[in-house]
Amino acid sequence: MLYFVEVLLEALFLSVDPYMRVAAKKLKEGDSMMGEQVARVVESKNSAFPTGTIVVALLGWTSHSISDGNGLRKLPAEWPDKLPLSLALGTVGMPGLTAYFGLLDICGLKGGETVLVNAAAGAVGSVVGQIAKLKGCKVVGTAGSDEKVAYLKKLGFDVAFNYKTVKSLEEALRTASPDGYDCYFDNVGGEFSNTVILQMKTFGRIAICGAISQYNRTGPCPPGPSPEVIIYQQLRMEGFIVTRWQGEVRQKALTDLMNWVSEGKIRYHEYITEGFEKMPAAFMGMLKGDNLGKTIVKA
């Protein structure tokens, strides 16, 4: 039975994301796994969310939820019919916003610069590269399979290579951009980033979004970058979480992303698994790099 202002929600699409691997370490037995989902209101006592309303919310790994309306975000009223609802968990959602703000705010991207992004065929990296191209930049992307590299080239990346098969990451990066990199959007961390930092241009900017290479680490962290390089190249590194941006700036970013996708300026790929019971398998597969684009579970 629903109480006054409560709504009953049914999950339509659920997201699995790398950050969950770190956040899950704080969970105790009996806690629910965190995460966003696109859900439909199937019963409502809340006039703000009538039956049939589609929302995005941090409801976790649940097929059904009861909410008093707090934390529920309706899809934008202007959401085009031709766009799948699942995109609200990907390119026109948290991953897209992460790419948008990390590149434009943290890196302060300018036209004509050279951008490097790793995990470039993933939900965030693929949007980073395409926004950078929209802004008139040269884009270098790295990925972990030849299939993903081919996808990056279809998206318009200037250079893309498989970091697992090159003889030397250092040489491959230098060949891709002999004069170095202005902006580095880091999803991976670890030794990969140590190699990149040595090739940053003076006054280069580094947006640290993730460290997926370290999430399953059992031993000590690898050594960090040399302080001398950061000092003498006058580099700026900043980690960030996308929830920093709220209100009007967030809405503008979502509108920009939605318009770019609708106009075909940003392309997307979804890696969809069907069945709520497949959530753990989809999550583990994403961490192993099975996915091309955004990993989504259709409930």
Side-chain angles (χ1 to χ4, degrees):
M1 178 179 175
L2 293 181
Y3 294 97
F4 182 65
V5 309
E6 287 186 330
V7 297
L8 174 63
L9 298 148
E10 178 183 45
L12 301 176
F13 299 96
L14 300 102
S15 179
V16 291
D17 301 282
Y19 80 84
M20 295 175 181
R21 182 67 179 88
V22 177
K25 294 176 182 178
K26 299 177 183 177
L27 297 180
K28 303 179 186 69
E29 187 175 348
D31 289 346
S32 295
M33 193 73 164
M34 72 296 295
E36 274 194 323
Q37 60 175 252
V38 172
R40 178 189 292 116
V41 176
V42 293
E43 191 177 334
S44 177
K45 294 288 182 72
N46 188 326
S47 59
F49 297 96
T51 300
T53 302
I54 304 297
V55 300
V56 182
L58 280 164
L59 298 171
W61 291 18
T62 58
S63 61
H64 293 80
S65 311
I66 292 175
S67 168
D68 63 4
N70 285 326
L72 303 184
R73 299 191 306 275
K74 295 179 183 179
L75 283 189
E78 63 274 22
W79 187 275
D81 290 339
K82 66 180 180 179
L83 294 190
L85 298 176
S86 51
L87 274 194
L89 300 175
T91 305
V92 193
M94 183 271 287
L97 291 170
T98 301
Y100 185 102
F101 289 117
L103 197 57
L104 302 181
D105 280 26
I106 302 296
C107 281
L109 189 69
K110 305 179 189 71
E113 294 189 317
T114 301
V115 176
L116 172 68
V117 56
N118 50 21
V124 175
S126 58
V127 182
V128 169
Q130 292 183 85
I131 293 176
K133 289 303 297 178
L134 279 175
K135 298 298 181 181
C137 294
K138 175 181 177 179
V139 181
V140 177
T142 69
S145 76
D146 292 343
E147 177 196 14
K148 291 179 180 180
V149 169
Y151 174 62
L152 296 180
K153 291 178 179 176
K154 283 184 183 177
L155 293 182
F157 280 59
D158 296 284
V159 183
F161 64 85
N162 184 343
Y163 72 92
K164 292 181 179 179
T165 57
V166 294
K167 290 182 180 178
S168 163
L169 177 61
E170 182 180 356
E171 289 178 13
L173 290 170
R174 188 162 287 116
T175 299
S177 180
D179 59 347
Y181 298 90
D182 298 286
C183 298
Y184 169 40
F185 196 107
D186 184 18
N187 293 296
V188 172
E191 292 293 349
F192 190 108
S193 291
N194 289 347
T195 303
V196 174
I197 286 169
L198 294 172
Q199 297 192 35
M200 295 298 295
K201 296 182 183 180
T202 304
F203 302 117
R205 291 91 66 203
I206 300 164
I208 305 175
C209 167
I212 197 168
S213 70
Q214 303 301 302
Y215 292 163
N216 288 325
R217 186 190 70 249
T218 54
C221 290
S226 165
E228 291 88 347
V229 174
I230 296 170
I231 293 167
Y232 289 106
Q233 290 299 100
Q234 301 184 69
L235 306 181
R236 178 163 61 81
M237 304 172 67
E238 185 174 345
F240 71 98
I241 300 171
V242 73
T243 49
R244 180 193 308 185
W245 293 271
Q246 294 294 335
E248 290 183 7
V249 292
R250 184 182 184 278
Q251 284 308 120
K252 180 188 181 302
L254 283 174
T255 300
D256 285 346
L257 290 164
M258 186 169 59
N259 289 340
W260 288 335
V261 172
S262 297
E263 295 163 7
K265 294 178 180 176
I266 286 184
R267 290 185 280 174
Y268 63 89
H269 189 280
E270 295 179 304
Y271 187 85
I272 296 179
T273 300
E274 295 211 18
F276 178 76
E277 71 281 359
K278 303 280 184 62
M279 291 289 294
F283 179 53
M284 290 185 284
M286 178 270 303
L287 288 173
K288 291 189 293 183
D290 291 349
N291 60 301
L292 179 65
K294 178 73 183 85
T295 300
I296 297 284
V297 174
K298 183 178 181 181

